[in-house]
Amino acid sequence: MELPFAESYKMKMVESIRRSTREEREEWIQTAKYNLFNLKSNQVFIDLLTDSGTGAMSDKQWAAMMEGDESYAGASSYYKMKAAIKDILGFDYFLPTHQGRAAENVLFSVMIKEGDLVPGNAHFDTTKGHIEFRKAHAIDCTINEAYDTTTEHPFKGNVDMEKLEYVLKSNPTKRIPLIIITATCNTSGGQPVSMENMRAVYEMAQKNNIPVFVDSARFAENAYFIKIREKGYQDKTIREIVTEMFQYADGMAMSSKKDAIVNMGGFLAFNNEDLFKQASVYNIMYEGYITYGGMSGRDMNALAQGLYEGTEFNYLETRIKQVEHLGEKLNAYGIPTQKPYGGHAIFVDAKRFFPNLPKEQFIAQTLAIELYLESGVRGVEIGALLADRDPETRENRYPELELLRLTIPRRVYTNDHMDYVAAGMKNVFDRRYDITKGLKIVREAMIMRHFTVELERV
Ligand code: F0G
């Protein structure tokens, strides 16, 4: 018989997790004010809150940590990271930062000023937060297909070239300091951007003299999808695809907590020495000296090793197939999800799950709470809570999609865990018409409210 697919690694260390009872969870979620971020991790059985910093490092990464050089300036770990970035991503200059949003903060301190416009494909919330904090605007130019979970499109992270052209034509170039491509696009469901699209954006940007930066948190997963789905890339290696992707960019901001498979870390990388020098000033102010920028030497070592492991085909295939496995299970139960399945998560379409709940009652958050109560599984809302209020009108923003993201940490859970998650979702789905009320906000922060919001049942 044909040999089945199997993971490309085995386990060397394990961590116990505990199943709780529904009664315990009822109590815990009330104390947590219906905000899953407020739960203690031991109140969660399977944690699909995020794939950020939650991955399992390899034996080689742990070994690399032992060789970390903790010198304040000029550490060998910095040069190891610099060499890995040059080798895999192709950039000559880089600045370490403590995580992705810190890289955004440093970059935008140089590039963005009040009133600017930053077009892109559905910016991630911290990216948007840092843009709006500077009284500038993030303009979403994602293709419309991204917002219809029922249409199959291989690259739902793509920029709509007409939307982008319109933004560039109808505004003075000096108000558009950069274009940001998020690959994969978290907000639209971990959906990839095609090579053709990256090339087209870069060409249009070059004609207008506007730099392109890639928000690269999941660049390797993006490259995997290009290999699997885009014509002409089947025979290329992931590293070859990655090299080409970054030819269509002037720089990148990286949250290394995703595709570099480390628990903490980030960086900026550029081609332009002048920009690097300007950003260095802010890096020193906000993050740390240029050769460590908020990271310890050992963490830079693990990151450098992680960049190599994260761009291996066998690893990526194992990872994406696990995400697919969960998607297929949910699909078999009739549960509506974003399709095709994303790279790092399955995004359940909460509006189609609960067609009778009004958007004002935070549909995706309601689903997240129900799944937790049912099974002890923690997902995360990608919907109206995350979308925040409009910074000018202070009205709630209701995004087109209300999603429950079931985010899969790298190299952490087995497919039995995925089957458990799917069964929990099915049980909630079976009683979906009994759930007639959602949630309301009791207290919220001015910006990025979803982390700390307090809610109660309507
Ligand atoms: N860009 C993207 C596309 C992200 O998904 C994230 C983080 C960041 C930037 C910011 O990076 O967390 O290292 O500061 N995403 C996490 C998530 C939080 O759960 O999706 P960070």
Side-chain angles (χ1 to χ4, degrees):
M1 71 191 274
E2 194 184 336
L3 295 174
F5 182 78
E7 290 81 356
S8 64
Y9 46 78
K10 58 181 179 174
M11 288 162 206
K12 194 176 293 214
M13 194 184 277
V14 293
E15 178 183 344
S16 298
I17 48 176
R18 176 183 163 264
R19 281 170 80 158
S20 51
T21 63
R22 177 148 186 141
E23 290 65 41
E24 285 175 317
R25 294 193 290 273
E26 292 276 4
E27 197 186 310
W28 293 335
I29 200 68
Q30 274 186 38
T31 310
K33 313 271 194 223
Y34 296 90
N35 179 343
L36 294 157
F37 285 96
N38 287 337
L39 290 173
K40 295 179 178 146
S41 63
N42 62 8
Q43 296 170 339
V44 175
F45 179 46
I46 298 175
D47 203 350
L48 306 187
L49 185 74
T50 179
D51 63 327
S52 183
T54 54
M57 291 209 299
S58 70
D59 50 354
K60 291 202 172 66
Q61 284 179 292
W62 281 106
M65 287 188 83
M66 295 303 292
E67 294 186 341
D69 176 355
E70 307 304 340
S71 305
Y72 191 96
S76 65
S77 300
Y78 167 83
Y79 289 103
K80 213 174 242 180
M81 193 168 147
K82 184 177 166 73
I85 288 171
K86 175 70 186 165
D87 190 22
I88 294 178
L89 307 162
F91 293 108
D92 287 321
Y93 303 99
F94 98 101
L95 286 169
T97 63
H98 79 274
Q99 62 183 86
R101 66 199 71 182
E104 292 163 1
N105 187 32
V106 170
L107 182 70
F108 298 168
S109 294
V110 180
M111 298 190 84
I112 298 179
K113 54 184 191 312
E114 187 171 339
D116 282 349
L117 306 174
V118 184
N121 56 339
H123 311 64
F124 182 64
D125 60 331
T126 59
T127 320
K128 192 149 106 199
H130 275 297
I131 293 169
E132 291 178 349
F133 180 71
R134 290 174 170 79
K135 298 195 165 58
H137 305 275
I139 314 283
D140 181 7
C141 299
T142 319
I143 57 170
N144 291 338
E145 288 91 330
Y147 299 112
D148 179 356
T149 58
T150 59
T151 358
E152 286 271 350
H153 183 296
F155 292 101
K156 281 188 173 179
N158 277 0
V159 173
D160 183 323
M161 295 309 295
E162 281 175 20
K163 289 186 193 173
L164 179 63
E165 187 170 23
Y166 178 78
V167 177
L168 300 192
K169 278 208 169 128
S170 49
N171 294 285
T173 306
K174 67 173 194 316
R175 281 191 65 201
I176 307 173
L178 79 164
I179 296 169
I180 297 176
I181 302 298
T182 307
T184 61
C185 183
N186 193 354
T187 311
S188 71
Q191 299 291 320
V193 184
S194 72
M195 191 73 87
E196 186 188 7
N197 193 246
M198 291 187 83
R199 193 183 304 125
V201 169
Y202 190 60
E203 280 168 8
M204 189 178 284
Q206 282 210 312
K207 271 190 210 136
N208 291 275
N209 252 322
I210 300 169
V212 175
F213 271 73
V214 181
D215 175 349
S216 309
R218 301 179 183 86
F219 74 95
E221 291 172 5
N222 199 91
Y224 175 86
F225 284 120
I226 289 176
K227 182 176 169 75
I228 300 299
R229 296 183 187 166
E230 191 163 348
K231 208 165 152 259
Y233 289 91
Q234 279 69 23
D235 298 329
K236 295 211 190 287
T237 65
I238 296 294
R239 301 242 172 90
E240 285 166 345
I241 294 170
V242 167
T243 303
E244 184 178 343
M245 280 168 59
F246 288 108
Q247 277 169 12
Y248 308 130
D250 298 284
M252 65 185 280
M254 178 72 182
S255 168
S256 306
K257 302 167 73 171
K258 285 87 170 173
D259 276 358
I261 330 179
V262 288
N263 303 116
M264 192 52 75
F267 60 88
L268 282 172
F270 331 78
N271 285 325
N272 181 317
E273 187 180 5
D274 186 47
L275 184 57
F276 162 71
K277 284 188 173 158
Q278 289 180 57
S280 298
V281 177
Y282 289 98
N283 215 57
I284 294 169
M285 255 197 310
Y286 296 144
E287 294 296 297
Y289 181 62
I290 297 168
T291 61
Y292 75 88
M295 293 187 72
S296 50
R298 53 181 171 271
D299 286 338
M300 290 193 278
N301 274 12
L303 201 166
Q305 172 65 23
L307 281 175
Y308 285 99
E309 291 177 19
T311 49
E312 278 169 13
F313 178 78
N314 289 346
Y315 151 73
L316 283 165
E317 186 183 36
T318 299
R319 163 146 184 81
I320 308 277
K321 278 196 188 290
Q322 181 169 58
V323 176
E324 226 172 73
H325 176 85
L326 176 59
E328 287 297 307
K329 283 268 159 180
L330 295 176
N331 198 33
Y333 298 142
I335 295 166
T337 64
Q338 171 69 295
K339 291 240 200 99
Y341 307 125
H344 63 300
I346 294 298
F347 289 69
V348 179
D349 187 333
K351 278 192 193 166
R352 281 162 62 210
F353 195 105
F354 286 137
N356 299 328
L357 278 187
K359 65 180 189 307
E360 292 78 11
Q361 294 184 13
F362 303 106
I363 307 166
Q365 182 69 6
T366 303
L367 179 54
I369 299 296
E370 288 299 330
L371 177 65
Y372 174 69
L373 289 173
E374 175 66 35
S375 62
V377 173
R378 172 160 70 171
V380 71
E381 187 249 23
I382 308 276
L385 281 180
L386 181 79
D388 265 326
R389 289 174 189 273
D390 183 287
E392 275 149 28
T393 66
R394 300 306 301 157
E395 290 297 321
N396 272 312
R397 289 191 281 211
Y398 294 105
E400 289 190 44
L401 290 179
E402 280 280 337
L403 301 166
L404 169 63
R405 188 181 75 172
L406 302 171
T407 337
I408 304 181
R410 292 166 182 77
R411 308 190 287 206
V412 170
Y413 292 114
T414 66
N415 283 358
D416 283 344
H417 291 118
M418 297 302 113
D419 294 349
Y420 177 97
V421 173
M425 283 297 296
K426 182 186 186 306
N427 290 347
V428 179
F429 194 57
D430 287 346
R431 55 182 177 78
R432 64 191 180 282
Y433 294 115
D434 303 336
I435 299 161
T436 53
K437 287 191 174 142
L439 299 157
K440 63 178 185 210
I441 293 179
V442 180
R443 185 168 295 156
E444 66 186 291
M446 280 294 283
I447 196 164
M448 292 187 212
R449 66 182 178 184
H450 65 290
F451 289 119
T452 54
V453 69
E454 294 179 8
L455 300 152
E456 62 185 26
R457 285 192 192 276
V458 170

